[in-house]
Amino acid sequence: MAEFGVLEAQDGVRMPWNIIPVGTNKEQSSIDSEIPVSAIFTPLKPLRSSADHSLLLPYSPLRCRTCRSVLNPFSVVDFTSCNWGCPFCFNRSPFPSSYSSIADNNLPPELFPHFTTVEYLCDSFSTPSPPVFLFVVDTCLISEELEFLKSSLFQALDLLPDTSIVGLITFDSLVRVYELGFPHCTKSYFFHGNKDCTKDQLLDQLSFFVKHPKPSSGVIAGARDGLSSDDISRFLLPASDCQFTLHSALEELGNNPWPVAADHRPARCTGVALRIAAGLLGACFPGSAARIIAFIGGPSTEGPGAIVSRQLSEPIRSHKDIDKDSAPCYHEAVEFYETLAKQLVHQGHVLDVFACSVDQVGIAELKVAVEQTGGLVVLAESFGHSVFRDSLKRVFQSGENDLSLSSCGIFEINCSKDIKVQGIIGPCASLEKKGPLCSDTVIGQGHTSAWKMCGLDKNTSICLVFEIAKRDTTDVVLQTQTNQFYFQFLTYYQHSNGQTRLRVTTLSRRWELTNGFDQEAAAVVMARLISFKMETQPEFNPQRWADKALVNLCSRFGDYKKGNPSSFSLPSQLSILPQFVFHLRRSQFVQVFNNSPDETAYFRMILNRENVSNSVVMIQPSLVSFSFHSPPEPILLDAASITADRILLLDSYFTLVIFHGATIAQWRKAGYHNQPEHQEFAHLLQSPRDYSDTIISERFPTPRLVICDQYGSQARFLLAKLNPSSDGNGPFSGESNVFTDDVSLSVFLDHLRRLIVL
């Protein structure tokens, strides 16, 4: 699979089918139902630069005058007549005068064969607009949690660039909008948490039109359309101008002043607070690089968007309640946040959520607003936990491992006439740009060839699902002139430095009777499809769908004799896929038992925005062994891998587990690593910590680190992810049993072989 990694490093694209297997309508339909023609694309993946040419081109792209695709290495250039042929619509367009010197030995960078991805700098003469951060803080917290949160906020504010625009809103049963431009004392405007607030009501209550008359008509949006810059700077102004006022307001934050009965939850109006934040940004900075960063410490119980009543006797909804339609607040809350999502997408703004609570806070309902705006989400147990603290720090820090937050993105696609777009699963929203590229079948955000990505970073990945439109017979497909088809991805965005850029990625794939199959990409596409179907199809059975897809795929490409399971074998391109499917069936994306709706929504949101490498770790965690006998090495994710003289490091993306074997744990407890003659043992103990620190520094959200010993209570974090080859009912080679009702991988593969050869 190394060759697929090389392609990803060049263009940020991984496709399950890199060479499309062709067949009749019936055969192709079978393939599409299992693993469709699709792509996991990371629009802003850092590019490798060339020694001779920069991949950032300081001029506008040259477009086809018919289909508007951009000049690319697959274009056919006629140097004599000075024109070029578009590989998508096959029409020819002339080169402008700036390309008059073009020749075979004097090509512009976008025509170099290895420059399939280039980036154009747009509006190079315009002044970059500063980013806007509106902090929305929950104050219904116990004193200890509030102090943790304030400490992290102070640290985050110190990392903000001085030019960035900031604002502050707090909420409990009331919403407070702080006037940071008033330096004499802390000043805020109150809104009742029981009532929704329109944009006009918000502007009137914030006294925006006291000194300047309200426009009689038109849309009020920013300083150019109805608002004065003086009024805007009362609530949202550069960090350097309000540093003292903002710090003072945060210092004075106290607990919820309203008494809460022992049998009641606090009155928390999360939905109204977010609506007011969206309305304020929409009025003051429409279409700009603005983010609402919400810090939530418990469930919303007041006003629109509430997920549960205040009575503790009413439990917060579970998966079973949602399935049985017995969650009284669920559908109304989802509808409210869908409306909020449309508002934020229209404004071009992002909603980030940092939720820290031992209880649910409503991530399942908020999911639509966060995902459609491309926002970040972090779920932790406490504001004092390293998962929250380190993740928040990563949002604002600059350097090698920064997130490179970008904004105001628009993603468009152009492809060959034989391909239609079914949709995208990932952090984006449809722009409803209908056309001949759109398929009648919709998966995710469909019926369009353009999507809005309000927020994106260097790891944001989307899953594009395609449909083969022309597939009458094998012979007809193979009679095409070049036996190739093309994709072009165009990503407009505002870079983290404020520049407006366009990144263009152009790909070529071909029709064949064989398959260039990427197993890792296939597993990730299956995981995203299963997550999407589980949320949109109430009667969907994920295990049955995954099993059927695997059986059909292996039946078509495997080699076997009818009725003889031992004769079955798979080509190397598919040899690991059954193992991926085995672990996918046991993963948190499929198994919702023992997970709350918030946790399930959180896991799926992260899956839907991460690249293939990270997603594969979520599906099938990696296991690394550290011992005296060998250097650190990957080993099987199996119970048999546990031995007393090993240290194991499990990476399941959300959690890192350092697991000490029984003997290692005894030596550590005896303090041998502190003795000079046992420095090798001290080095052995430190090696997995160094390894995990490297992972933690590169990953967002920051994973939870669990350090445990064999037979200890926290060993469950490791045992739950292992293949249960040792279940206590027979002999085994490892030194721990995994007590579970799940079958082992060997039993799963035996059943698979029998089903295929029947």
Side-chain angles (χ1 to χ4, degrees), residues 58-232:
Y59 50 85
S60 299
L62 184 60
R63 292 180 174 272
C64 171
R65 59 185 177 182
T66 303
C67 69
R68 305 300 295 163
S69 63
V70 175
L71 181 68
N72 59 81
F74 305 104
S75 303
V76 180
V77 179
D78 186 341
F79 298 108
T80 304
S81 57
C82 203
N83 61 35
W84 60 282
C86 174
F88 297 97
C89 66
F90 307 113
N91 288 313
R92 306 194 73 82
S93 301
F95 283 109
S97 57
S98 57
Y99 284 75
S100 58
S101 61
I102 189 172
D104 193 25
N105 58 353
N106 186 29
L107 293 176
E110 59 264 44
L111 285 177
F112 277 55
H114 56 286
F115 276 12
T116 47
T117 295
V118 294
E119 196 159 293
Y120 297 91
L121 180 60
C122 309
D123 301 328
S124 56
F125 299 105
S126 63
T127 303
S129 58
V132 183
F133 300 99
L134 179 54
F135 296 94
V136 180
V137 181
D138 179 3
T139 58
C140 292
L141 306 173
I142 62 174
S143 300
E144 185 180 20
E145 284 294 297
L146 189 58
E147 290 303 316
F148 284 143
L149 175 55
K150 287 160 65 173
S151 175
S152 294
L153 286 174
F154 288 137
Q155 185 181 38
L157 292 173
D158 290 339
L159 294 172
L160 280 177
D162 290 341
T163 56
S164 58
I165 308 296
V166 296
L168 177 64
I169 293 175
T170 63
F171 67 95
D172 39 53
S173 61
L174 299 172
V175 180
R176 300 167 184 83
V177 181
Y178 284 79
E179 187 175 331
L180 300 179
F182 189 78
H184 308 293
C185 64
T186 302
K187 182 179 179 181
S188 60
Y189 292 75
F190 286 68
F191 295 82
H192 203 288
N194 264 331
K195 300 177 182 177
D196 201 354
C197 183
T198 66
K199 182 171 138 182
D200 289 337
Q201 291 172 339
L202 174 68
L203 295 176
D204 288 338
Q205 192 158 336
L206 293 179
S207 304
F208 267 87
F209 304 110
V210 173
K211 296 181 179 179
H212 303 86
K214 184 177 181 179
S216 57
S217 62
V219 178
I220 301 173
R224 291 185 301 178
D225 296 304
L227 293 185
S228 70
S229 56
D230 291 339
D231 280 333
I232 293 174

Side-chain angles (χ1 to χ4, degrees), residues 1-14 45 48:
M1 287 179 280
E3 66 273 21
F4 303 123
V6 173
L7 292 174
E8 184 181 25
Q10 179 176 334
D11 296 313
V13 179
R14 292 281 289 270
K45 185 176 180 64
R48 298 177 300 178

Side-chain angles (χ1 to χ4, degrees), residues 561-593:
K561 294 180 181 178
K562 200 73 172 173
N564 185 0
S566 61
S567 67
F568 175 78
S569 64
L570 282 172
S572 59
Q573 294 98 330
L574 278 85
S575 59
I576 308 177
L577 185 63
Q579 185 174 315
F580 284 145
V581 173
F582 169 77
H583 289 287
L584 175 60
R585 295 171 85 257
R586 304 177 70 225
S587 71
Q588 62 268 40
F589 309 116
V590 174
Q591 301 291 342
V592 298
F593 176 75

Side-chain angles (χ1 to χ4, degrees), residues 44 129 131 161 402-407 493-499 501:
L44 302 189
S129 58
D402 66 349
L403 296 182
S404 299
L405 293 178
S406 300
S407 55
Y493 71 101
Q494 182 175 320
H495 192 269
S496 55
N497 63 12
Q499 294 177 339
R501 298 183 179 184

Side-chain angles (χ1 to χ4, degrees), residues 361-412:
V361 302
I363 294 295
E365 289 83 356
L366 274 163
K367 178 178 184 290
V368 61
V370 176
E371 199 160 49
Q372 288 195 12
T373 61
L376 306 173
V377 60
V378 175
L379 188 62
E381 297 175 357
S382 166
F383 286 110
H385 202 286
S386 61
V387 171
F388 165 73
R389 292 198 319 268
D390 296 343
S391 297
L392 180 62
K393 183 179 178 181
R394 282 285 308 282
V395 173
F396 300 103
Q397 76 178 17
S398 57
E400 182 181 356
N401 293 321
D402 66 349
L403 296 182
S404 299
L405 293 178
S406 300
S407 55
C408 304
I410 293 179
F411 176 77
E412 295 185 7

Side-chain angles (χ1 to χ4, degrees), residues 314-331:
E314 179 186 330
I316 300 180
R317 77 282 179 277
S318 63
H319 280 293
K320 186 178 292 185
D321 294 329
I322 295 173
D323 292 340
K324 292 183 176 180
D325 202 17
S326 58
C329 302
Y330 179 74
H331 293 292

